[in-house]
Amino acid sequence: MPYSDQPTVTASGVKIPLLGFGTWQLEPDDARRMVREALRIGYRHIDTAWIYKNEKAVGDGIADAVAEGIVTRDDIFVTTKIWVEHFHRDALLRQAEESALSLGLTPDLLLLHWPKPAPALAETIGALNEAKDKGFTKNIGLSNFPSALFREAASLSSAPLITNQIEYHPYLSQKTLIETARELGSSITAWSPLAQGKIANDAVIGDIASAHGKTNGQITLRWIIQQGIAAIPRTTKESRAAENFGIFDFELSADEMARISALAHPDGRIGDWLDEAFEWDQDA
């Protein structure tokens, strides 16, 4: 099944599958095994990064699935990221080429992993565009960029920035960033969509889950993708990957969506590695 046949969000004409499989913190053996298994289950969106040190394993997992006839390359959407130490032009181009070689394919999307005050954003965005022009990636985007930087990056980029990958889950609003992405014709991709397991015992989510015969995790992922936001949960367990994929056979009501959104609070952020030169959007 091509990824375009799955529920997708479209940004500047590019379709991104709403449910992806993340590989953050996966050791190479687990990454290879789980990527292959995720593709067997039906995932068509795979996320990795240079700093995860598993790009080759991710590529090997994809190659395994292709060799077994589970997918073709054109069936899947693959994202990787440029690490902050490689933001100067020459270093960025070297890493972009290295990532493509490690994956054994041209990624569909190459992101800047976190914003950094130096070098100047114009140099980094220019190099990111050059990486696309050189064929090291099909599309470009950002990760963890607050709205002000998101707007600046978009103004500096010749090619559209098709997503901003950020922490997003029921305990963190991100309302401003979501609105900014839509205004710019971009999209949002949610990392740690299950709040690193914190949603598992949430009573509000649990009540909604009971009404649908689903798990808390399935309800949370449904809440995210029903907003037109992509989610990239990760796991080392085949059974959990299959469970997470079981979110396309039901819908949440407007009231249920609102109840989950109301769980957000100002100190809901879990992973804050933003450089002190920048500030997050202040959402309630």
Side-chain angles (χ1 to χ4, degrees):
M1 176 193 298
Y3 68 80
S4 58
D5 290 343
Q6 290 199 1
T8 57
V9 58
T10 301
S12 297
V14 179
K15 292 184 176 182
I16 305 172
L18 282 171
L19 185 63
F21 184 80
T23 63
W24 177 54
Q25 293 185 326
L26 293 191
E27 295 295 327
D29 286 349
D30 285 333
R32 181 173 185 169
R33 171 179 59 85
M34 287 304 304
V35 165
R36 183 261 176 207
E37 178 64 12
L39 293 171
R40 186 197 66 76
I41 289 167
Y43 291 83
R44 294 295 180 262
H45 176 177
I46 304 294
D47 181 89
T48 185
W50 182 89
I51 199 64
Y52 299 170
K53 303 187 186 305
N54 62 18
E55 283 179 320
K56 183 180 184 304
V58 167
D60 288 344
I62 293 169
D64 291 343
V66 170
E68 294 175 40
I70 296 170
V71 292
T72 68
R73 168 63 185 98
D74 291 342
D75 291 336
I76 58 177
F77 188 96
V78 181
T79 300
T80 193
K81 310 176 192 75
I82 298 287
W83 186 239
V84 297
E85 295 174 359
H86 305 152
F87 276 12
H88 284 284
R89 175 190 175 274
D90 290 351
L92 189 151
L93 292 174
R94 281 195 300 271
Q95 197 227 283
E97 183 175 22
E98 176 187 325
S99 290
L101 290 170
S102 294
L103 286 164
L105 51 82
T106 301
D108 296 276
L109 181 56
L110 184 66
L111 309 179
L112 300 180
H113 208 148
W114 286 87
K116 188 179 179 183
L121 185 58
E123 176 181 342
T124 305
I125 292 293
L128 189 64
N129 276 265
E130 192 173 349
K132 179 180 183 295
D133 293 341
K134 288 181 177 291
F136 299 149
T137 182
K138 297 177 183 178
N139 300 284
I140 57 176
L142 309 172
S143 185
N144 304 302
F145 273 55
S147 287
L149 279 174
F150 193 179
R151 294 179 188 279
E152 182 181 356
S155 72
L156 292 167
S157 184
S158 300
L161 303 175
I162 69 166
T163 204
N164 190 1
Q165 186 182 121
I166 59 173
E167 178 184 349
Y168 184 53
H169 47 71
Y171 307 126
L172 184 62
S173 169
Q174 299 287 31
K175 178 182 178 181
T176 301
L177 261 175
I178 292 168
E179 291 175 349
T180 299
R182 290 174 178 158
E183 178 186 333
L184 294 173
S186 187
S187 68
I188 293 292
T189 302
W191 59 260
S192 288
L194 303 180
Q196 297 181 20
K198 296 183 186 300
I199 55 88
N201 297 313
D202 189 285
V204 171
I205 297 173
D207 182 59
I208 297 170
S210 294
H212 288 273
K214 294 290 183 177
T215 66
N216 282 28
Q218 289 170 322
I219 292 299
T220 301
L221 292 172
R222 182 71 208 183
W223 170 78
I224 292 174
I225 71 163
Q226 208 165 302
Q227 298 174 62
I229 293 171
I232 49 169
R234 59 99 175 150
T235 179
T236 59
K237 299 178 180 178
E238 290 92 338
S239 60
R240 183 58 56 82
E243 175 188 306
N244 288 343
F245 196 74
I247 62 171
F248 300 116
D249 59 351
F250 72 104
E251 290 187 3
L252 298 173
S253 68
D255 177 67
E256 290 168 331
M257 293 288 290
R259 289 174 65 195
I260 298 170
S261 296
L263 296 172
H265 49 87
D267 58 348
R269 192 178 303 279
I270 297 171
D272 192 356
W273 301 284
L274 187 67
D275 190 284
E276 61 183 10
F278 309 118
E279 293 184 358
W280 291 116
D281 297 283
Q282 298 302 309
D283 291 312

